[in-house]
Amino acid sequence: MKILNCLVMLSCICCTQAAESPLDSSRYRTVDCYLDNKVRTNGVTHRTWEESYRLWTNPSKPATLEQYKEDLHQFIVLHYTAGASLRGTINTYNERGVSAHFTIDNDGIIYKTVNPDTDIAYHAGISYFAGKTSLNYYSIGIEHINPGFERTNVVFPGFSAPRKLTGSEVYWYPFSEEQFVASVAFTRDLQEHYRIPGYHVVTHADIFPFQKK
């Protein structure tokens, strides 16, 4: 998706040295907002690495848990929520049994919803990229709160007026400057901390282009 690809392009740096923490920066604000992970109709929102490995049935499953842990944090996957509020996004996570490690609000505040150092988040779905399948097991998911595409130009509080896409009846809501700047800075810090190369920063459409555009 072209608009999220702008974030990808600005985040593409090659990393050679690990930072102390991706969360220690004056360029953005982070808030712990962990999901409760209660079992609901559509399952849990996330699982620990160990439980995820035990339940993994895909033929691509690494031979041992230790081998799997060596393969963690290979990708960053950028998403938008198709919703206009943090509360609504958290409700969607819980209702659908999905999640992201980080959720960036329209005002640029970054909410840590799943711990990337202990758990996988269910954000990638059926996916493939750079020789890996099931990218939930290998990636850090970042959601951006944004209404996404609409067929009417309804105005959401806190968001800029939607822009009609050229040659289409569909409208798109631009990312705010605060959200855009925070996302780029934070993604770069995650890359440096986990040594994730720029070509492994992708959008959902990149890892399963037929599912979400």
Side-chain angles (χ1 to χ4, degrees), residues 1-35:
M1 205 269 291
K2 292 182 179 179
I3 299 168
L4 269 181
N5 281 343
C6 293
L7 292 173
V8 172
M9 291 172 64
L10 288 173
S11 301
C12 285
I13 58 172
C14 293
C15 309
T16 58
Q17 185 176 0
E20 291 184 2
S21 170
L23 303 180
D24 296 333
S25 176
S26 60
R27 294 173 294 165
Y28 45 77
R29 178 186 172 197
T30 60
V31 176
D32 287 349
C33 184
Y34 291 112
L35 300 177

PDB file of all heavy atoms in Angstrom, residues 1-35:
ATOM      1  N   MET A   1       0.841  -1.170   0.000  1.00  0.00           N
ATOM      2  CA  MET A   1       0.000   0.000   0.000  1.00  0.00           C
ATOM      3  C   MET A   1       0.887   1.235   0.000  1.00  0.00           C
ATOM      4  O   MET A   1       1.727   1.400   0.865  1.00  0.00           O
ATOM      5  CB  MET A   1      -0.917  -0.035   1.232  1.00  0.00           C
ATOM      6  CG  MET A   1      -2.187   0.750   1.061  1.00  0.00           C
ATOM      7  SD  MET A   1      -1.994   2.433   1.599  1.00  0.00           S
ATOM      8  CE  MET A   1      -1.820   2.185   3.347  1.00  0.00           C
ATOM      9  N   LYS A   2       0.683   2.115  -0.958  1.00  0.00           N
ATOM     10  CA  LYS A   2       1.641   3.162  -1.246  1.00  0.00           C
ATOM     11  C   LYS A   2       1.864   4.095  -0.075  1.00  0.00           C
ATOM     12  O   LYS A   2       2.971   4.565   0.159  1.00  0.00           O
ATOM     13  CB  LYS A   2       1.180   3.946  -2.469  1.00  0.00           C
ATOM     14  CG  LYS A   2       1.230   3.141  -3.770  1.00  0.00           C
ATOM     15  CD  LYS A   2       0.813   3.976  -4.939  1.00  0.00           C
ATOM     16  CE  LYS A   2       0.881   3.172  -6.235  1.00  0.00           C
ATOM     17  NZ  LYS A   2       0.444   3.965  -7.396  1.00  0.00           N
ATOM     18  N   ILE A   3       0.810   4.427   0.692  1.00  0.00           N
ATOM     19  CA  ILE A   3       0.947   5.419   1.742  1.00  0.00           C
ATOM     20  C   ILE A   3       1.799   4.868   2.879  1.00  0.00           C
ATOM     21  O   ILE A   3       2.689   5.545   3.398  1.00  0.00           O
ATOM     22  CB  ILE A   3      -0.441   5.847   2.241  1.00  0.00           C
ATOM     23  CG1 ILE A   3      -1.202   6.470   1.063  1.00  0.00           C
ATOM     24  CG2 ILE A   3      -0.333   6.842   3.379  1.00  0.00           C
ATOM     25  CD1 ILE A   3      -2.657   6.685   1.279  1.00  0.00           C
ATOM     26  N   LEU A   4       1.583   3.630   3.284  1.00  0.00           N
ATOM     27  CA  LEU A   4       2.442   3.032   4.301  1.00  0.00           C
ATOM     28  C   LEU A   4       3.844   2.810   3.765  1.00  0.00           C
ATOM     29  O   LEU A   4       4.810   2.825   4.521  1.00  0.00           O
ATOM     30  CB  LEU A   4       1.853   1.701   4.785  1.00  0.00           C
ATOM     31  CG  LEU A   4       0.913   1.785   5.983  1.00  0.00           C
ATOM     32  CD1 LEU A   4       0.436   0.390   6.351  1.00  0.00           C
ATOM     33  CD2 LEU A   4       1.564   2.441   7.183  1.00  0.00           C
ATOM     34  N   ASN A   5       3.979   2.618   2.468  1.00  0.00           N
ATOM     35  CA  ASN A   5       5.306   2.432   1.894  1.00  0.00           C
ATOM     36  C   ASN A   5       6.180   3.658   2.096  1.00  0.00           C
ATOM     37  O   ASN A   5       7.406   3.558   2.130  1.00  0.00           O
ATOM     38  CB  ASN A   5       5.208   2.114   0.400  1.00  0.00           C
ATOM     39  CG  ASN A   5       4.829   0.659   0.166  1.00  0.00           C
ATOM     40  OD1 ASN A   5       4.956  -0.157   1.068  1.00  0.00           O
ATOM     41  ND2 ASN A   5       4.355   0.356  -1.016  1.00  0.00           N
ATOM     42  N   CYS A   6       5.581   4.841   2.242  1.00  0.00           N
ATOM     43  CA  CYS A   6       6.363   6.039   2.544  1.00  0.00           C
ATOM     44  C   CYS A   6       7.069   5.872   3.883  1.00  0.00           C
ATOM     45  O   CYS A   6       8.231   6.253   4.041  1.00  0.00           O
ATOM     46  CB  CYS A   6       5.460   7.273   2.600  1.00  0.00           C
ATOM     47  SG  CYS A   6       4.734   7.726   1.018  1.00  0.00           S
ATOM     48  N   LEU A   7       6.370   5.305   4.866  1.00  0.00           N
ATOM     49  CA  LEU A   7       6.993   5.052   6.161  1.00  0.00           C
ATOM     50  C   LEU A   7       8.111   4.033   6.031  1.00  0.00           C
ATOM     51  O   LEU A   7       9.163   4.150   6.657  1.00  0.00           O
ATOM     52  CB  LEU A   7       5.945   4.533   7.162  1.00  0.00           C
ATOM     53  CG  LEU A   7       4.864   5.518   7.591  1.00  0.00           C
ATOM     54  CD1 LEU A   7       3.828   4.804   8.436  1.00  0.00           C
ATOM     55  CD2 LEU A   7       5.463   6.679   8.366  1.00  0.00           C
ATOM     56  N   VAL A   8       7.894   3.023   5.205  1.00  0.00           N
ATOM     57  CA  VAL A   8       8.917   2.004   4.996  1.00  0.00           C
ATOM     58  C   VAL A   8      10.170   2.634   4.405  1.00  0.00           C
ATOM     59  O   VAL A   8      11.286   2.389   4.860  1.00  0.00           O
ATOM     60  CB  VAL A   8       8.396   0.889   4.068  1.00  0.00           C
ATOM     61  CG1 VAL A   8       9.523  -0.059   3.708  1.00  0.00           C
ATOM     62  CG2 VAL A   8       7.257   0.131   4.745  1.00  0.00           C
ATOM     63  N   MET A   9      10.012   3.455   3.385  1.00  0.00           N
ATOM     64  CA  MET A   9      11.161   4.056   2.723  1.00  0.00           C
ATOM     65  C   MET A   9      11.959   4.932   3.676  1.00  0.00           C
ATOM     66  O   MET A   9      13.186   4.920   3.668  1.00  0.00           O
ATOM     67  CB  MET A   9      10.690   4.879   1.517  1.00  0.00           C
ATOM     68  CG  MET A   9      10.145   4.045   0.370  1.00  0.00           C
ATOM     69  SD  MET A   9       9.395   5.048  -0.915  1.00  0.00           S
ATOM     70  CE  MET A   9      10.841   5.973  -1.476  1.00  0.00           C
ATOM     71  N   LEU A  10      11.275   5.682   4.528  1.00  0.00           N
ATOM     72  CA  LEU A  10      11.972   6.561   5.451  1.00  0.00           C
ATOM     73  C   LEU A  10      12.616   5.794   6.594  1.00  0.00           C
ATOM     74  O   LEU A  10      13.465   6.308   7.300  1.00  0.00           O
ATOM     75  CB  LEU A  10      10.995   7.600   6.020  1.00  0.00           C
ATOM     76  CG  LEU A  10      10.575   8.680   5.021  1.00  0.00           C
ATOM     77  CD1 LEU A  10       9.481   9.544   5.624  1.00  0.00           C
ATOM     78  CD2 LEU A  10      11.767   9.557   4.633  1.00  0.00           C
ATOM     79  N   SER A  11      12.218   4.542   6.799  1.00  0.00           N
ATOM     80  CA  SER A  11      12.757   3.748   7.891  1.00  0.00           C
ATOM     81  C   SER A  11      13.859   2.810   7.435  1.00  0.00           C
ATOM     82  O   SER A  11      14.414   2.078   8.251  1.00  0.00           O
ATOM     83  CB  SER A  11      11.626   2.916   8.531  1.00  0.00           C
ATOM     84  OG  SER A  11      10.605   3.749   9.005  1.00  0.00           O
ATOM     85  N   CYS A  12      14.181   2.773   6.169  1.00  0.00           N
ATOM     86  CA  CYS A  12      15.099   1.778   5.643  1.00  0.00           C
ATOM     87  C   CYS A  12      16.552   2.172   5.887  1.00  0.00           C
ATOM     88  O   CYS A  12      17.139   2.916   5.107  1.00  0.00           O
ATOM     89  CB  CYS A  12      14.862   1.563   4.148  1.00  0.00           C
ATOM     90  SG  CYS A  12      13.383   0.605   3.826  1.00  0.00           S
ATOM     91  N   ILE A  13      17.098   1.703   6.984  1.00  0.00           N
ATOM     92  CA  ILE A  13      18.511   1.892   7.265  1.00  0.00           C
ATOM     93  C   ILE A  13      19.098   0.536   7.578  1.00  0.00           C
ATOM     94  O   ILE A  13      18.420  -0.353   8.070  1.00  0.00           O
ATOM     95  CB  ILE A  13      18.736   2.860   8.444  1.00  0.00           C
ATOM     96  CG1 ILE A  13      18.032   2.332   9.717  1.00  0.00           C
ATOM     97  CG2 ILE A  13      18.258   4.254   8.118  1.00  0.00           C
ATOM     98  CD1 ILE A  13      18.361   3.127  10.953  1.00  0.00           C
ATOM     99  N   CYS A  14      20.362   0.332   7.271  1.00  0.00           N
ATOM    100  CA  CYS A  14      21.044  -0.909   7.614  1.00  0.00           C
ATOM    101  C   CYS A  14      21.670  -0.753   8.988  1.00  0.00           C
ATOM    102  O   CYS A  14      22.231   0.286   9.308  1.00  0.00           O
ATOM    103  CB  CYS A  14      22.115  -1.238   6.569  1.00  0.00           C
ATOM    104  SG  CYS A  14      21.387  -1.643   4.973  1.00  0.00           S
ATOM    105  N   CYS A  15      21.561  -1.773   9.808  1.00  0.00           N
ATOM    106  CA  CYS A  15      21.956  -1.650  11.202  1.00  0.00           C
ATOM    107  C   CYS A  15      23.157  -2.540  11.495  1.00  0.00           C
ATOM    108  O   CYS A  15      23.194  -3.688  11.090  1.00  0.00           O
ATOM    109  CB  CYS A  15      20.794  -2.054  12.098  1.00  0.00           C
ATOM    110  SG  CYS A  15      19.269  -1.204  11.655  1.00  0.00           S
ATOM    111  N   THR A  16      24.094  -1.988  12.225  1.00  0.00           N
ATOM    112  CA  THR A  16      25.315  -2.735  12.516  1.00  0.00           C
ATOM    113  C   THR A  16      25.604  -2.836  14.000  1.00  0.00           C
ATOM    114  O   THR A  16      26.431  -3.611  14.422  1.00  0.00           O
ATOM    115  CB  THR A  16      26.522  -2.064  11.834  1.00  0.00           C
ATOM    116  OG1 THR A  16      26.622  -0.711  12.296  1.00  0.00           O
ATOM    117  CG2 THR A  16      26.351  -2.066  10.324  1.00  0.00           C
ATOM    118  N   GLN A  17      24.903  -2.052  14.824  1.00  0.00           N
ATOM    119  CA  GLN A  17      25.213  -2.045  16.239  1.00  0.00           C
ATOM    120  C   GLN A  17      23.925  -1.928  17.036  1.00  0.00           C
ATOM    121  O   GLN A  17      23.054  -1.128  16.722  1.00  0.00           O
ATOM    122  CB  GLN A  17      26.147  -0.873  16.575  1.00  0.00           C
ATOM    123  CG  GLN A  17      26.602  -0.877  18.022  1.00  0.00           C
ATOM    124  CD  GLN A  17      27.607   0.239  18.273  1.00  0.00           C
ATOM    125  OE1 GLN A  17      27.943   0.999  17.375  1.00  0.00           O
ATOM    126  NE2 GLN A  17      28.086   0.326  19.492  1.00  0.00           N
ATOM    127  N   ALA A  18      23.798  -2.731  18.091  1.00  0.00           N
ATOM    128  CA  ALA A  18      22.584  -2.720  18.885  1.00  0.00           C
ATOM    129  C   ALA A  18      22.554  -1.518  19.823  1.00  0.00           C
ATOM    130  O   ALA A  18      23.562  -1.137  20.401  1.00  0.00           O
ATOM    131  CB  ALA A  18      22.477  -4.012  19.712  1.00  0.00           C
ATOM    132  N   ALA A  19      21.376  -0.901  19.982  1.00  0.00           N
ATOM    133  CA  ALA A  19      21.212   0.201  20.922  1.00  0.00           C
ATOM    134  C   ALA A  19      20.838  -0.349  22.292  1.00  0.00           C
ATOM    135  O   ALA A  19      20.506  -1.525  22.439  1.00  0.00           O
ATOM    136  CB  ALA A  19      20.121   1.142  20.411  1.00  0.00           C
ATOM    137  N   GLU A  20      20.871   0.505  23.304  1.00  0.00           N
ATOM    138  CA  GLU A  20      20.542   0.052  24.651  1.00  0.00           C
ATOM    139  C   GLU A  20      19.070  -0.314  24.764  1.00  0.00           C
ATOM    140  O   GLU A  20      18.708  -1.310  25.357  1.00  0.00           O
ATOM    141  CB  GLU A  20      20.903   1.138  25.660  1.00  0.00           C
ATOM    142  CG  GLU A  20      22.409   1.352  25.808  1.00  0.00           C
ATOM    143  CD  GLU A  20      22.728   2.365  26.871  1.00  0.00           C
ATOM    144  OE1 GLU A  20      21.777   2.869  27.511  1.00  0.00           O
ATOM    145  OE2 GLU A  20      23.911   2.641  27.092  1.00  0.00           O
ATOM    146  N   SER A  21      18.192   0.505  24.204  1.00  0.00           N
ATOM    147  CA  SER A  21      16.764   0.240  24.259  1.00  0.00           C
ATOM    148  C   SER A  21      16.069   1.010  23.159  1.00  0.00           C
ATOM    149  O   SER A  21      16.383   2.179  22.927  1.00  0.00           O
ATOM    150  CB  SER A  21      16.176   0.640  25.611  1.00  0.00           C
ATOM    151  OG  SER A  21      14.764   0.601  25.561  1.00  0.00           O
ATOM    152  N   PRO A  22      15.099   0.399  22.472  1.00  0.00           N
ATOM    153  CA  PRO A  22      14.370   1.134  21.442  1.00  0.00           C
ATOM    154  C   PRO A  22      13.347   2.092  22.030  1.00  0.00           C
ATOM    155  O   PRO A  22      12.712   2.838  21.299  1.00  0.00           O
ATOM    156  CB  PRO A  22      13.696   0.026  20.642  1.00  0.00           C
ATOM    157  CG  PRO A  22      13.495  -1.068  21.626  1.00  0.00           C
ATOM    158  CD  PRO A  22      14.690  -1.005  22.544  1.00  0.00           C
ATOM    159  N   LEU A  23      13.153   2.083  23.342  1.00  0.00           N
ATOM    160  CA  LEU A  23      12.112   2.889  23.960  1.00  0.00           C
ATOM    161  C   LEU A  23      12.652   4.143  24.636  1.00  0.00           C
ATOM    162  O   LEU A  23      11.886   4.936  25.151  1.00  0.00           O
ATOM    163  CB  LEU A  23      11.355   2.050  24.998  1.00  0.00           C
ATOM    164  CG  LEU A  23      10.720   0.765  24.468  1.00  0.00           C
ATOM    165  CD1 LEU A  23      10.016   0.033  25.590  1.00  0.00           C
ATOM    166  CD2 LEU A  23       9.739   1.076  23.364  1.00  0.00           C
ATOM    167  N   ASP A  24      13.963   4.336  24.679  1.00  0.00           N
ATOM    168  CA  ASP A  24      14.552   5.480  25.350  1.00  0.00           C
ATOM    169  C   ASP A  24      14.876   6.560  24.335  1.00  0.00           C
ATOM    170  O   ASP A  24      15.938   6.576  23.733  1.00  0.00           O
ATOM    171  CB  ASP A  24      15.833   5.063  26.092  1.00  0.00           C
ATOM    172  CG  ASP A  24      15.540   4.073  27.202  1.00  0.00           C
ATOM    173  OD1 ASP A  24      14.408   4.109  27.715  1.00  0.00           O
ATOM    174  OD2 ASP A  24      16.435   3.288  27.544  1.00  0.00           O
ATOM    175  N   SER A  25      13.953   7.475  24.125  1.00  0.00           N
ATOM    176  CA  SER A  25      14.177   8.521  23.140  1.00  0.00           C
ATOM    177  C   SER A  25      13.319   9.723  23.480  1.00  0.00           C
ATOM    178  O   SER A  25      12.176   9.586  23.920  1.00  0.00           O
ATOM    179  CB  SER A  25      13.844   8.035  21.734  1.00  0.00           C
ATOM    180  OG  SER A  25      13.983   9.100  20.815  1.00  0.00           O
ATOM    181  N   SER A  26      13.868  10.893  23.271  1.00  0.00           N
ATOM    182  CA  SER A  26      13.107  12.123  23.468  1.00  0.00           C
ATOM    183  C   SER A  26      12.269  12.465  22.240  1.00  0.00           C
ATOM    184  O   SER A  26      11.517  13.428  22.253  1.00  0.00           O
ATOM    185  CB  SER A  26      14.072  13.271  23.769  1.00  0.00           C
ATOM    186  OG  SER A  26      14.970  13.460  22.684  1.00  0.00           O
ATOM    187  N   ARG A  27      12.381  11.664  21.172  1.00  0.00           N
ATOM    188  CA  ARG A  27      11.674  11.970  19.928  1.00  0.00           C
ATOM    189  C   ARG A  27      10.256  11.442  19.910  1.00  0.00           C
ATOM    190  O   ARG A  27       9.478  11.774  19.025  1.00  0.00           O
ATOM    191  CB  ARG A  27      12.459  11.397  18.746  1.00  0.00           C
ATOM    192  CG  ARG A  27      13.808  12.063  18.521  1.00  0.00           C
ATOM    193  CD  ARG A  27      14.597  11.325  17.457  1.00  0.00           C
ATOM    194  NE  ARG A  27      14.961   9.989  17.916  1.00  0.00           N
ATOM    195  CZ  ARG A  27      15.404   9.028  17.110  1.00  0.00           C
ATOM    196  NH1 ARG A  27      15.485   9.239  15.815  1.00  0.00           N
ATOM    197  NH2 ARG A  27      15.742   7.854  17.602  1.00  0.00           N
ATOM    198  N   TYR A  28       9.906  10.603  20.867  1.00  0.00           N
ATOM    199  CA  TYR A  28       8.546  10.079  20.926  1.00  0.00           C
ATOM    200  C   TYR A  28       8.234   9.667  22.360  1.00  0.00           C
ATOM    201  O   TYR A  28       9.119   9.523  23.192  1.00  0.00           O
ATOM    202  CB  TYR A  28       8.365   8.878  19.982  1.00  0.00           C
ATOM    203  CG  TYR A  28       9.495   7.868  20.035  1.00  0.00           C
ATOM    204  CD1 TYR A  28       9.592   6.965  21.090  1.00  0.00           C
ATOM    205  CD2 TYR A  28      10.465   7.818  19.047  1.00  0.00           C
ATOM    206  CE1 TYR A  28      10.629   6.048  21.151  1.00  0.00           C
ATOM    207  CE2 TYR A  28      11.504   6.917  19.092  1.00  0.00           C
ATOM    208  CZ  TYR A  28      11.571   6.025  20.154  1.00  0.00           C
ATOM    209  OH  TYR A  28      12.597   5.117  20.221  1.00  0.00           O
ATOM    210  N   ARG A  29       6.955   9.473  22.632  1.00  0.00           N
ATOM    211  CA  ARG A  29       6.503   9.081  23.971  1.00  0.00           C
ATOM    212  C   ARG A  29       5.909   7.684  23.902  1.00  0.00           C
ATOM    213  O   ARG A  29       5.109   7.394  23.004  1.00  0.00           O
ATOM    214  CB  ARG A  29       5.454  10.065  24.483  1.00  0.00           C
ATOM    215  CG  ARG A  29       4.878   9.703  25.855  1.00  0.00           C
ATOM    216  CD  ARG A  29       3.751  10.647  26.225  1.00  0.00           C
ATOM    217  NE  ARG A  29       3.070  10.217  27.438  1.00  0.00           N
ATOM    218  CZ  ARG A  29       1.872  10.649  27.818  1.00  0.00           C
ATOM    219  NH1 ARG A  29       1.246  11.547  27.079  1.00  0.00           N
ATOM    220  NH2 ARG A  29       1.307  10.204  28.925  1.00  0.00           N
ATOM    221  N   THR A  30       6.314   6.829  24.819  1.00  0.00           N
ATOM    222  CA  THR A  30       5.764   5.472  24.858  1.00  0.00           C
ATOM    223  C   THR A  30       5.013   5.248  26.167  1.00  0.00           C
ATOM    224  O   THR A  30       5.371   5.779  27.209  1.00  0.00           O
ATOM    225  CB  THR A  30       6.875   4.413  24.726  1.00  0.00           C
ATOM    226  OG1 THR A  30       7.792   4.563  25.816  1.00  0.00           O
ATOM    227  CG2 THR A  30       7.613   4.566  23.405  1.00  0.00           C
ATOM    228  N   VAL A  31       3.959   4.447  26.072  1.00  0.00           N
ATOM    229  CA  VAL A  31       3.119   4.136  27.228  1.00  0.00           C
ATOM    230  C   VAL A  31       2.854   2.637  27.234  1.00  0.00           C
ATOM    231  O   VAL A  31       2.470   2.067  26.210  1.00  0.00           O
ATOM    232  CB  VAL A  31       1.779   4.904  27.163  1.00  0.00           C
ATOM    233  CG1 VAL A  31       0.874   4.498  28.328  1.00  0.00           C
ATOM    234  CG2 VAL A  31       2.011   6.408  27.157  1.00  0.00           C
ATOM    235  N   ASP A  32       3.067   1.982  28.386  1.00  0.00           N
ATOM    236  CA  ASP A  32       2.718   0.570  28.508  1.00  0.00           C
ATOM    237  C   ASP A  32       1.208   0.428  28.556  1.00  0.00           C
ATOM    238  O   ASP A  32       0.524   1.061  29.368  1.00  0.00           O
ATOM    239  CB  ASP A  32       3.323  -0.035  29.786  1.00  0.00           C
ATOM    240  CG  ASP A  32       4.826  -0.231  29.667  1.00  0.00           C
ATOM    241  OD1 ASP A  32       5.350  -0.097  28.547  1.00  0.00           O
ATOM    242  OD2 ASP A  32       5.467  -0.513  30.697  1.00  0.00           O
ATOM    243  N   CYS A  33       0.672  -0.405  27.680  1.00  0.00           N
ATOM    244  CA  CYS A  33      -0.779  -0.611  27.587  1.00  0.00           C
ATOM    245  C   CYS A  33      -1.015  -2.066  27.206  1.00  0.00           C
ATOM    246  O   CYS A  33      -1.592  -2.373  26.174  1.00  0.00           O
ATOM    247  CB  CYS A  33      -1.369   0.339  26.553  1.00  0.00           C
ATOM    248  SG  CYS A  33      -3.163   0.285  26.396  1.00  0.00           S
ATOM    249  N   TYR A  34      -0.535  -2.985  28.040  1.00  0.00           N
ATOM    250  CA  TYR A  34      -0.528  -4.395  27.683  1.00  0.00           C
ATOM    251  C   TYR A  34      -1.937  -4.972  27.606  1.00  0.00           C
ATOM    252  O   TYR A  34      -2.803  -4.667  28.431  1.00  0.00           O
ATOM    253  CB  TYR A  34       0.298  -5.202  28.690  1.00  0.00           C
ATOM    254  CG  TYR A  34       1.775  -4.907  28.623  1.00  0.00           C
ATOM    255  CD1 TYR A  34       2.428  -4.264  29.664  1.00  0.00           C
ATOM    256  CD2 TYR A  34       2.521  -5.255  27.496  1.00  0.00           C
ATOM    257  CE1 TYR A  34       3.781  -3.987  29.603  1.00  0.00           C
ATOM    258  CE2 TYR A  34       3.873  -4.986  27.424  1.00  0.00           C
ATOM    259  CZ  TYR A  34       4.500  -4.350  28.478  1.00  0.00           C
ATOM    260  OH  TYR A  34       5.837  -4.064  28.407  1.00  0.00           O
ATOM    261  N   LEU A  35      -2.159  -5.825  26.619  1.00  0.00           N
ATOM    262  CA  LEU A  35      -3.432  -6.521  26.483  1.00  0.00           C
ATOM    263  C   LEU A  35      -3.549  -7.576  27.578  1.00  0.00           C
ATOM    264  O   LEU A  35      -2.558  -8.192  27.979  1.00  0.00           O
ATOM    265  CB  LEU A  35      -3.526  -7.184  25.108  1.00  0.00           C
ATOM    266  CG  LEU A  35      -3.437  -6.235  23.906  1.00  0.00           C
ATOM    267  CD1 LEU A  35      -3.461  -7.036  22.614  1.00  0.00           C
ATOM    268  CD2 LEU A  35      -4.556  -5.215  23.923  1.00  0.00           C
TER     269      LEU A  35
END
